[in-house]
Amino acid sequence: MQRIGVFVCHCGTNIAATVDVKAVAQALANEPGVVISQDYQYMCSESGQDLVKAAIKEHNLSGVVVCSCSPRMHENTFRKAASAAGLNPYLVEIANIREQCSWIHKDIASATEKAVVLGKAAVAKVHLNTPLTAGESPVVKRALVIGGGIAGIQTALDIAEAGFEVDIVEKEPTIGGKMAQIDKTFPTLDCAACILTPKMVEAAQNEKITIHSFSEISDVKGFVGNFTVTIKKKARFVDETKCTGCGLCTEKCPMKKVPNEFNMGLDNRTAVYIPFTQAVPKVATIDPNYCMMLKNGKCGICSKVCSVGAIDYKQTDRFVEQKYGAIVVATGFNPIKLDKYDEFAYSWCPDVVTSLELERLMNAAGPNGGTLLRPSDKKHPHTIVFVQCVGSRCDDEKGKPYCSKICCMYTAKHAMLIREKYPDTEVYVFYIDVRTPGKNFDEFYRRAVEQYGVHYIKGMVGKVSPKADGTIDVQASDLLSNEQLHIDADMVVLAAAIEPDKTARPLATMLTTQMDTNDFFTEAHPKLRPVESATAGIFLSGACQGPKDIPETVAQASAAAAKAIGLLCKNSITCNPCVAHSDELMCNGCSACEKVCPYGAITYQDKEFRMPDRTTAIRRVASVNPAVCQGCGACTVACPSGAMDLNGFSNSQIMSEVDAICK
Amino acid sequence: MFRISAEKLNDLFDRIASKQTLYIPVDREDKAAEYKKYESGMTLSSALNTVRSAKDFFFPQTENLAEFRLSGKTIEVKDIRSEHEDFVIFGVRACDARSFGILDSVFLSEPVDTFYKNRRDHGTIVTMACTRPEETCFCTTFGINPTMPGGDVSVFPDGTGYSFLANTEKGKEFMAEISDMLEEGNPAQLAKVQENTRNILKRLPLANLKTDSFGGERLMKHFSSEKWAELSESCIGCGTCTFVCPTCQCYDIRDFDTGNGIKRFRCWDSCMYSDFTKMAHGNSRNSQLERFRQRFMHKLVYHPSNHEGEFGCVGCGRCLSKCPISMNIVKVMKALEDK
Amino acid sequence: MQEAMIKRAKELLADGTVNRVMGWKKGEFVYDTTPAVFETAEELEKEFVCNDFTQANLSKYLIKESRKEGKILAFLKPCDTYSFNQLLKEHRIIRENVYVIGIPGGPKLDMEKIKAKGISGILDVKNENFTLKIETLYGTETMPFYEAVSGKCADCKSKKHVVYDELIGEDGDVLASRRFDMVEKLENMTSQERYDFWRGELSKCIRCNACRNVCPACTCENCVFDNPKSGIDQKAAADSFEENMFHIIRAFHVAGRCTDCGECSRVCPQNIPLHLLNRKFIKDINSLYGEYQAGADTTSKCPLTDYDTDDCEPSIVHERGVE
Amino acid sequence: MQVNENFEPVIVAFCCNWCSYAGADLSGTNRLNYPTNVKIIRVPCSCRVNPIFILRAFQRGADGVIICGCHPGDCHYTSGNYFTRRRITLLYSMLDFLGIERNRTRLEWVSAAEGAKFAAVMNQFTEDVRKLGPNRRLEDLRCRKQ
């Protein structure tokens, strides 16, 4: 038999002025199971709480109902009080008779009547409350950062700084990402390599950081605090532990006609290669698509020249399994492919380039050693046209609906750098809008226009047509003067939209995190939890969550690191006990619950059961991981058999409240 | 024997209905027949039988037994029994009429089910002889004569009218009330109709079905028969056969919490259901085979064993036409009978 | 057709591909065929039947059968393959243990429709050029074939088999059926008329559970209406509310999963048009969330466990049609 | 339709803990009045509301049922209210199909900041239900108050 205590709070006059609290206490005293019903001036005060505690002990209460303010205010207070008196804190229910009764009603009689009903509903519910214990789950004190661009590096450094082990998994042979390819950075125009490479080295030298370059994630299991990740270390045919990065193999390699992806295919590299001088780790990699030894067993020069014997043609993919407490996703972005943009002649005219290609063309480590020359004839370009929003803010299938955010600024940067270095070159920028919010951004853009005389034209380029004389006819409209323009350009630079890396989607599936329709990772809350994914223990860093420039990326990377550190600091996580659970005897194994779970908390297993007809059967049944479940209850309604129920808000509890209210 | 011509039948109904509640079989929109409370202008159904049997009048699907009123911490028990009003069921076929006897043997034996008895005491059964049996009919298997349907009053249609014959005291009282509307009967015409019906009965596809292989003494033989597995394998475990059956009499007693108290009621139960006779230890019959076997063993073996050889089936054929997967007592009997 | 099926079944039994055959068994009359499992060629020869009355959907039996020793051959009509696929999708059937032969579907005949014509004492029904020649105890009767076609076949949605290992006969196409006409007709009634219609129908319910137990989507280990722990268990509709409750919740639980096989209405002893409830959900899903046919494949997302951020608001219910 | 002046509808409001329940609290904090007929049941998310609860409320004597959740896109659990929207739309449509008065059911999105909206919604809904009169089509006679 239940022994329920009811405690009605006056809240000074906040409640007592419109609700006859004594009448409420009296009415609830008559409810089945209620053994004591009291009212008090301020139930949340020290002495009020003592009243509750004393009653719990004196009457050996099995449940407590407090009729007071919103549970959002003091539910925790009274749970703690109950706990202190030896009653499970989840045997406390609050009837909200202030915010949802005394404060909104004026007539004492009807407000009192309503308060009684709310009290009865709480009593009915508490009858069915069960003691709940918040579970604890240990935290593995190691973090995984997926992606080794500036976001990943910054996150890893911050986590390592806090004293935790952290692994970076990078799919390319070197970390550094897109920033390593960039020449100068806006709005300060300092050299990207100069600020990035020291960080790369720092990451490599930090003893808390392990870099898995040329590696991918192949499997993720587990949950917050306790992920088990399988990392695929792709065969690079060079023993990382032996290679000194001397580069002799790359010099001697006879296969020299491999498109160099670091320079956006604008020049060539060898089959055995180190992507760039400051690569980290500075280890050679053999490209099996081009290496003659790997393709047909003829060559082997690199192996002969390597003084440390690092070349290993027999190397295969290796799989490493590691446990992590937190995972940070920093998979970054890529410019979209422009092969569908026939109007810009990108596919067939070498002098129509993307902005990232321009970065390489202008970079001292690029194909031309830093001198801006046209790719086609290596001549100095005198007229350059920049086209903004290529594929950004697009409604059609070719492009992306969103603003890529960084293009306005880097184009201003490019224009300014060109005008600075080659004053005889005319620069035209066609734009829809120039968007420059950000510290010193608009000033930067205005300098390009005012100080450097860049021609900004509001309008869209309609057609880019390469001409026989080597120049390019750019046909465009000037929306402000409302006229059609033809510009004879030497080069055209397209500001291609950026999109999440293609590896992000399968990764999101493995991590059971959510993505938006553009494949950007969805944050747990757009305003209040911007660097956490909705899946506990998975954090977001950099452009994988949305387009970002470098300062924003670094800021978010550190924020993600802070969140990860916050998690790793704990020895264990206290789980919310109000989570779903499945009654295996009723579960059909139909997977409906799993499909609506936003957290991937539900898994299935085949279990042997003794059936009512005395046979045994193997049935597929759901089980909920209480450490991952957040208690939304979506699964409980998706489940047709009612096998899935929610602690603290069970079907029977809610129905008992319904019954009490409608009675 | 007294007679009324067909065109005056509704006048008769009006008369009866002016004195007590009258139920007659009428056609629904889907052409299936059901008993309805008579209202002036209703037409008697020409269908052989109703979808639901006439047992509903004495043993309704749900029936309130008691009430508990709850106020605060006190409980008050309320007896809600009241005397039932007199009523007449018209047009009951011979099979259903026999089923009342089978129900009586259960409900009226000690301890008497007073709810059932109350309804039984106040009901007058006016039966109707069959003239056009269906292919699913096999009442003769159980010794029922559909040309002499029994009940308190038997009615015999002859094509142009109906002859009435009182069989009981209650029947005679009923006849007395309507005697002024009746004329003298024509026994010769009636005999011709009955002769014709008897000839059809001999030609029925199930006319040769016999009960010789069944009865209490065959218990162990049939109980352990290997045929049950095959017979029950496609049974979906619904309650259709039991709910349309005129002799199935199992019920469950349940409490419904209205919020202000408890309403205790009984409702039909089906031995085909997986939770039938579920007790604290679990269920006594856990497989559909056992449940299926129970139903037919009850009708063909246990019932005659407990009730002086009377089988628990009247051959009305409802389960034959209504079982979702067309498994029925005839198939069971044919599978189990001595070859 | 029946001969070809028996022949093929015997071959597959003989070569060990399967050890059982799921089909239909002859009854006392032409129409009372029963789903059955056959284990030998002799049984097949003697009792296997496939005729105008073999309507029962065999898919649900395969939940249990596919968990038994060895592989079973199942003859599935087009509509049954949808149910089969849906059950595969819900992990209820073990595919490897079933050998599916797709057979042509209906139109099958409904005995009740013949009897509704006042034809009684039926001994045999023959289809002669789409005229039914019906032998009865009271002489020979005739009626047009199409007037006896069962409700589920009259509204046939597809003659295409969505899953099979082999076919007997030709595969058909998805049809443009007019199956939503009656739903639409009801939608265009006034609220009061709809209420009266459904009260009239649902008040006939005797809660025999035939609709639920035959339904290939109702495969719960323990139905909420049988489970006292659910708090809403009921054995009989003790009040009109409980009639509504049972049928609303049952329709809701199969919404997005119901393939519209029509078994619920076929088996209802009281002829309640229960399929209209399921069809209402299907029609709503199609019009609000995009065309969706449950069971058409095993990979698509069920509309009720899926969403679109641009989904319509429930206020659409308040705004459209007739109040 | 005839309005019974003395009829006081029973209205059950399911509110999600994170947005609408907080919105209801805010309308209290701001002393924005709505009728006492409305009684709130707190659920973690609107997607916790099982159609069974809604029918149960009508069975037990509710005259109107309203569900309130976070605005689409703002769900604390990211996707809960999207599921709610589909489920409840279909359920309400089914109730309408069965001839249950459509104004007895409602779903509204109320954020934690929308105390005024919460009060306005409840005032409107109560008025709509009051106009409909007592729920007779989906009640359980056994539960009717004597």
Side-chain angles (χ1 to χ4, degrees), chain B residues 61 133 135 230 234 239 334, chain C residues 25 28 31 61 138 206 208:
Chain B
Q61 185 159 19
E135 77 278 8
E230 190 189 328
S234 51
K334 289 202 170 176
Chain C
K25 196 186 224 173
E28 291 301 312
Y31 56 85
Y61 290 108
Y138 309 102
I206 57 171
C208 64

Side-chain angles (χ1 to χ4, degrees), chain D residues 69-83:
Chain D
C70 307
H71 285 268
D74 290 350
C75 177
H76 178 77
Y77 306 100
T78 55
S79 54
N81 53 4
Y82 289 128
F83 292 120

Side-chain angles (χ1 to χ4, degrees), chain C residues 3 12 36 88 171 185 193 285:
Chain C
E3 278 61 49
L12 290 166
L88 286 180
D171 203 8
K185 194 178 149 193
E193 285 167 342
I285 287 169

Side-chain angles (χ1 to χ4, degrees), chain A residues 16 58 60 81 143-144 149 160-161 291 318 338 420 435 454 472 491 508 523 536 630 633-634 646:
Chain A
E58 188 187 335
N60 190 22
L144 170 67
E161 184 74 9
C291 171
R318 279 192 305 129
L338 296 179
E420 166 90 26
R435 295 179 166 180
V454 178
I472 304 165
M491 271 184 84
E523 57 281 11
Q630 303 288 311
L646 188 64

Side-chain angles (χ1 to χ4, degrees), chain A residues 70-72 75 96 99-100 103-105 114 514 599 632 634 636-637 645 649-651 658-659 662-663, chain D residues 17 21-22 25 28 31-34 36 38 40 42 44 47-48 53 56-57 60 77-78 83 87 145:
Chain A
S70 171
R72 300 169 58 84
E75 188 172 54
N96 184 343
E99 281 86 345
Q100 293 176 8
W103 276 355
I104 46 167
H105 305 311
K114 175 171 172 178
Q514 290 174 332
Y599 307 102
C632 67
T636 61
V637 183
D645 209 346
F649 295 95
S650 71
N651 289 328
V658 169
D659 292 359
C662 297
K663 185 151 84 175
Chain D
N17 183 46
Y21 195 87
D25 278 354
R31 310 297 198 274
L32 300 169
N33 193 279
Y34 57 87
T36 51
V38 178
I40 294 170
R42 184 166 67 124
C47 71
R48 177 67 187 92
F53 305 160
R56 177 82 163 206
R60 300 287 160 148
Y77 306 100
T78 55
F83 292 120
R87 291 167 183 166
K145 289 169 206 92

Side-chain angles (χ1 to χ4, degrees), chain A residues 319-330:
Chain A
F319 291 88
V320 181
E321 199 180 275
Q322 183 65 262
K323 281 188 172 292
Y324 299 100
I327 298 177
V328 183
V329 184

Side-chain angles (χ1 to χ4, degrees), chain A residues 14 70-73 75 79 93-96 98-107 110-111 113-114 117-118 125 514 522-527 529 534 595-599 630-639 644-646 649-652 654-659 661-663, chain D residues 10-54 56-63 73-80 83 87 112 118-119 143 145:
Chain A
N14 278 306
S70 171
R72 300 169 58 84
M73 302 290 294
E75 188 172 54
R79 279 184 174 170
E93 285 295 328
I94 309 290
N96 184 343
R98 190 179 77 176
E99 281 86 345
Q100 293 176 8
C101 192
S102 71
W103 276 355
I104 46 167
H105 305 311
K106 294 193 180 75
D107 175 49
S110 59
E113 200 183 325
K114 175 171 172 178
V117 172
L118 295 178
K125 186 180 181 191
Q514 290 174 332
T522 307
E523 57 281 11
H525 190 283
K527 288 119 200 158
R529 296 171 68 193
K595 297 208 172 80
V596 299
C597 180
Y599 307 102
Q630 303 288 311
C632 67
C635 54
T636 61
V637 183
C639 177
M644 203 55 97
D645 209 346
L646 188 64
F649 295 95
S650 71
N651 289 328
S652 55
I654 296 175
M655 282 196 285
S656 73
E657 286 181 273
V658 169
D659 292 359
I661 286 173
C662 297
K663 185 151 84 175
Chain D
V10 174
I11 289 172
V12 177
F14 292 98
C15 291
C16 87
N17 183 46
W18 306 96
C19 289
S20 307
Y21 195 87
D25 278 354
L26 183 62
S27 80
T29 312
N30 292 342
R31 310 297 198 274
L32 300 169
N33 193 279
Y34 57 87
T36 51
N37 308 61
V38 178
K39 314 283 194 304
I40 294 170
I41 293 176
R42 184 166 67 124
V43 286
C45 175
S46 59
C47 71
R48 177 67 187 92
V49 180
N50 196 313
I52 289 170
F53 305 160
I54 298 167
R56 177 82 163 206
F58 284 121
Q59 173 185 29
R60 300 287 160 148
D63 301 297
D74 290 350
C75 177
H76 178 77
Y77 306 100
T78 55
S79 54
F83 292 120
R87 291 167 183 166
F118 187 87
C143 302
K145 289 169 206 92

Side-chain angles (χ1 to χ4, degrees), chain C residues 191-192 194-195 231 238-239 241-242 248 277 280 284 303 307-309 311 313-314 318 320 322-323, chain D residues 51 55-56 59 79 82-83 85-86 89-90 93-94 96-99 102 105 107 109 137 140-142:
Chain C
S191 176
Q192 181 70 46
R194 279 199 295 272
Y195 177 75
D239 186 273
F241 171 82
E242 290 193 329
I248 295 170
L277 296 175
K280 169 64 178 168
D284 275 348
Y307 63 85
D308 196 317
T309 51
D311 280 340
E313 295 294 330
H318 298 79
R320 68 176 178 194
V322 188
E323 161 71 65
Chain D
L55 295 181
R56 177 82 163 206
Q59 173 185 29
S79 54
Y82 289 128
F83 292 120
R85 188 161 60 177
R86 281 204 173 183
T89 304
L90 290 174
S93 179
M94 177 54 76
D96 179 50
F97 188 62
L98 290 170
R102 44 178 75 166
T105 52
L107 179 111
W109 311 123
R137 293 184 184 175
D140 193 324
L141 276 171
R142 298 171 297 176

